[in-house]
Amino acid sequence: ELAIDDSAAPIRDEDGTISGVVLIFRDVSEKRRSELARAQLAAIVDHSEDAIYAKALTGEILSWNAGAELLYGYSADEVIGRSVSVLVPEERQDELAEIMQRLAAGERTDHFETVRRRKDGRDVHISLQVSPLRNGDGELIGASSSARDITAAKQAEHALRRGEERLRLALEAGQMGSWEWNIPTGTVFWSRNLEAIHGLGARTFVLFFFNMGVAVGLGMLMMNVIEPGNRLDEATQARLVQEYGG
């Protein structure tokens, strides 16, 4: 089946009497496919959880999806037609200027972490990507921006660092030491207190660790006593034996 458009025009003789009709049929299959593709893309953008919006080369916001409303707090009616700078904190306006310069050159800005400002004045950490937007003739007309809220992840990261710092201070206050051995990579992490407890010089615990225990540890690894997923590869085993086994 073909999608067609049709039109008709009467054929009139000299006295204006209709004597026939001209029928014109046009194949619009490609046009319909393009329209369907655009509609599907628009639906994906509208229902995406990411904040997606388009802006002109001047920075004027042209479109605004539901994800953008959730992330930034502005409705489409409130923000379309305004400058994208309304979303950027004062201290990051230079960053926006750089993005717009790259956009004018037709360059894409891949995902990077930054901060934007909501309507209520709160700052949100986002992962942002900006891609050039072109018309059907390939002319640069603006950009599409896609942003994802990473505030929760940044808060969790900050909480983890804060917890690690508290643990470090507690260990130092109690004059306790700690160490970790990452079996798959063969990497050993240790605290400064641990070296002091054992009377070791700075950054020498790894030698102490391997000289005292590597014979048993490497033996278990090489005999496949340790779970398969945690075994060292042959190259790492050879390196450990060469560096610390003797």
Side-chain angles (χ1 to χ4, degrees):
E1 293 183 0
L2 291 177
I4 62 170
D5 275 349
D6 61 85
S7 59
I11 300 175
R12 299 178 184 273
D13 55 25
E14 293 180 354
D15 61 3
T17 303
I18 297 176
S19 59
V21 65
V22 175
L23 297 176
I24 301 174
F25 299 93
R26 291 183 297 273
D27 182 357
V28 294
S29 300
E30 186 61 34
K31 177 183 177 183
R32 295 289 173 81
R33 282 194 291 268
S34 297
E35 291 174 347
L36 177 60
R38 285 195 295 269
Q40 290 173 334
L41 179 59
I44 291 172
V45 170
D46 286 342
H47 293 89
S48 174
E49 293 184 356
D50 289 346
I52 301 175
Y53 59 92
K55 60 189 175 188
L57 294 174
T58 58
E60 177 186 353
I61 297 173
L62 304 174
S63 66
W64 191 257
N65 78 337
E69 291 190 9
L70 289 174
L71 178 59
Y72 296 111
Y74 292 95
S75 69
D77 290 340
E78 289 176 311
V79 80
I80 289 178
R82 298 179 65 180
S83 170
V84 69
S85 62
V86 71
L87 308 176
V88 183
E90 293 79 5
E91 64 273 14
R92 291 184 179 265
Q93 291 295 327
D94 289 344
E95 176 188 283
L96 175 61
E98 181 180 348
I99 292 174
M100 297 304 292
Q101 288 176 358
R102 297 188 63 182
L103 172 61
E107 298 180 8
R108 168 179 174 151
T109 301
D110 288 325
H111 279 289
F112 70 101
E113 294 184 3
T114 185
V115 175
R116 291 295 181 261
R117 184 152 295 161
R118 287 174 46 85
K119 177 183 176 181
D120 60 14
R122 291 190 295 116
D123 288 345
V124 289
H125 292 270
I126 64 169
S127 175
L128 177 66
Q129 182 180 48
V130 183
S131 302
L133 191 63
R134 301 180 184 275
N135 62 16
D137 296 325
E139 297 173 333
L140 183 66
I141 59 173
S144 62
S145 296
S146 174
R148 178 167 297 179
D149 188 355
I150 59 171
T151 301
K154 298 298 288 186
Q155 290 174 341
E157 181 182 317
H158 177 70
L160 177 61
R161 288 198 303 267
R162 186 170 55 189
E164 290 174 343
E165 178 63 14
R166 287 175 177 173
L167 175 60
R168 184 188 66 79
L169 293 174
L171 291 174
E172 288 184 357
Q175 296 184 335
M176 296 179 289
S178 64
W179 63 272
E180 300 176 18
W181 181 20
N182 187 319
I183 293 177
T185 64
T187 305
V188 179
F189 302 90
W190 64 95
S191 67
R192 289 172 295 181
N193 274 355
L194 193 64
E195 290 178 329
I197 290 171
H198 291 283
L200 302 171
R203 304 186 64 82
T204 59
F205 172 75
V206 66
L207 297 176
F208 172 80
F209 170 79
F210 279 109
N211 286 333
M212 294 297 291
V214 81
V216 175
L218 285 178
M220 292 175 65
L221 290 168
M222 293 178 180
M223 290 186 295
N224 293 331
V225 173
I226 291 179
E227 290 294 324
N230 289 328
R231 293 175 191 158
L232 300 179
D233 55 54
E234 294 182 359
T236 303
Q237 291 182 25
R239 178 177 61 81
L240 292 176
V241 171
Q242 181 179 6
E243 295 182 6
Y244 306 115

